[in-house]
Amino acid sequence: MPIYNQLSQNLNEIHDQMRAACGRSGRSPSDVRLIAVTKYAEWPWVEALSSLHQAFGENRPQQLAERQVLLPQIEWHLIGQLQRNKVKLALQHACVIHSIDSLRLLERVAAVATELQIRPRVLLEANLSQEAAKSGFHAEGLRRDWSQIVSFSKAVQIDGFMTMAAESHDPEEARPVFRSLRMLRDELQQTAASRNAGLDLCELSMGMSGDFIPAIEEGATIVRIGSRIFSGLGTF
Ligand SMILES: *Cc1c(COP(=O)(O)O)cnc(C)c1O
């Protein structure tokens, strides 16, 4: 099948499943956005996809920057770990950074944003799956440092949270992680610090190819899907 047709078919199937998950949980399909994760996609696939979809995600700042210059009409989201020395590059090319995983990084992003005279949109990456290897804020850290985190919202727009569940063959295993992120968001949204700063933690970026259905049922507003979109095209 030609690349365009395969991508179009895959996207249609994903959108059908997203709509069905919204229906089951009483949500509007317009409340959930799909970010097409292109990190493993060959360039001709990315180009073909750009006539079908508007929002792409990359996990490396360098590749995001290179591709953003070639497809500037696309909204590019940085979803992978950000080193402090790549912050400027990321801010110059990404429309949202999903992967603010420490106070140190938030501080650095705020400083560079001030220097560039921009107020970028960011999400805080939470590690709620008890996996030591994963990066991100733990729930206790978010609660403990919340007023300090909120103080950076003068320089950056904190729109909500991102998380990744542990890999598993059973998507239901991810559901408790997604549910606890939504509940933690609700809790932090209610704090005096959030209300005083006028914070609106409206975004929950959660759900990938293997677990986006429970993520939507638990309140995801952004799902990040890669391999499912490109399946049938190559070595996935
Ligand atoms: C790769 C990646 C995805 C997409 O993963 P798939 O399983 O290919 O859908 C989503 N989020 C992050 C942070 C990723 O690194």
Side-chain angles (χ1 to χ4, degrees):
M1 203 188 290
I3 294 175
Y4 179 91
N5 299 40
Q6 180 74 66
L7 290 171
S8 171
Q9 181 184 311
N10 293 350
L11 273 176
N12 284 337
E13 286 172 10
I14 292 165
H15 277 126
D16 284 346
Q17 288 185 306
M18 289 174 64
R19 264 192 297 276
C22 285
R24 279 192 299 279
S25 45
R27 305 184 59 203
S28 162
S30 63
D31 292 343
V32 188
R33 292 191 71 203
L34 168 65
I35 304 293
V37 177
T38 49
K39 65 184 178 197
Y40 297 135
E42 293 171 18
W43 180 249
W45 309 351
V46 178
E47 254 186 328
L49 189 66
S50 70
S51 57
L52 290 161
H53 199 72
Q54 299 303 315
F56 291 5
E58 285 283 344
N59 67 342
R60 290 177 38 240
Q62 193 64 51
Q63 181 158 300
L64 183 148
E66 286 162 14
R67 291 180 163 188
Q68 188 273 332
V69 170
L70 296 171
L71 290 174
Q73 73 277 21
I74 296 292
E75 213 181 86
W76 290 91
H77 294 241
L78 182 69
I79 62 172
Q81 201 164 36
L82 178 56
Q83 311 283 304
R84 288 158 54 82
N85 63 352
K86 295 279 169 55
V87 166
K88 190 166 186 177
L89 184 71
L91 289 180
Q92 286 166 327
H93 297 276
C95 75
V96 183
I97 297 175
H98 292 227
S99 42
I100 304 292
D101 59 6
S102 71
L103 203 47
R104 252 167 70 87
L105 180 61
L106 179 61
E107 192 176 354
R108 172 85 182 154
V109 168
V112 176
T114 303
E115 183 189 308
L116 295 174
Q117 298 185 290
I118 56 171
R119 186 165 175 266
R121 292 163 60 198
V122 304
L123 304 177
L124 305 172
E125 180 174 354
N127 176 0
L128 305 180
S129 66
Q130 324 292 347
E131 272 185 292
K134 283 229 167 72
S135 57
F137 291 91
H138 292 273
E140 323 80 80
L142 284 170
R143 291 191 182 100
R144 186 190 58 227
D145 298 330
W146 190 244
S147 46
Q148 205 183 340
I149 290 169
V150 170
S151 72
F152 290 106
S153 68
K154 286 189 207 70
V156 301
Q157 182 175 323
I158 302 171
D159 277 346
F161 298 94
M162 181 269 244
T163 201
M164 270 188 284
E167 255 182 80
S168 161
H169 292 294
D170 180 6
E172 283 305 315
E173 282 184 20
R175 187 183 294 275
V177 170
F178 300 145
R179 184 172 299 171
S180 49
L181 185 61
R182 171 169 45 90
M183 291 171 66
L184 182 61
R185 184 276 307 272
D186 292 348
E187 176 192 325
L188 293 170
Q189 178 69 71
Q190 296 304 317
T191 59
S194 296
R195 283 185 280 114
N196 292 341
L199 231 56
D200 182 9
L201 303 168
C202 54
E203 303 287 7
L204 290 174
S205 169
M206 54 189 196
M208 324 201 317
S209 291
D211 55 22
F212 71 92
I213 290 171
I216 291 172
E217 291 168 354
E218 296 302 330
T221 60
I222 299 173
V223 291
R224 311 175 309 269
I225 300 184
S227 45
R228 265 294 296 280
I229 291 178
F230 300 101
S231 74
L233 287 177
T235 51
F236 271 108

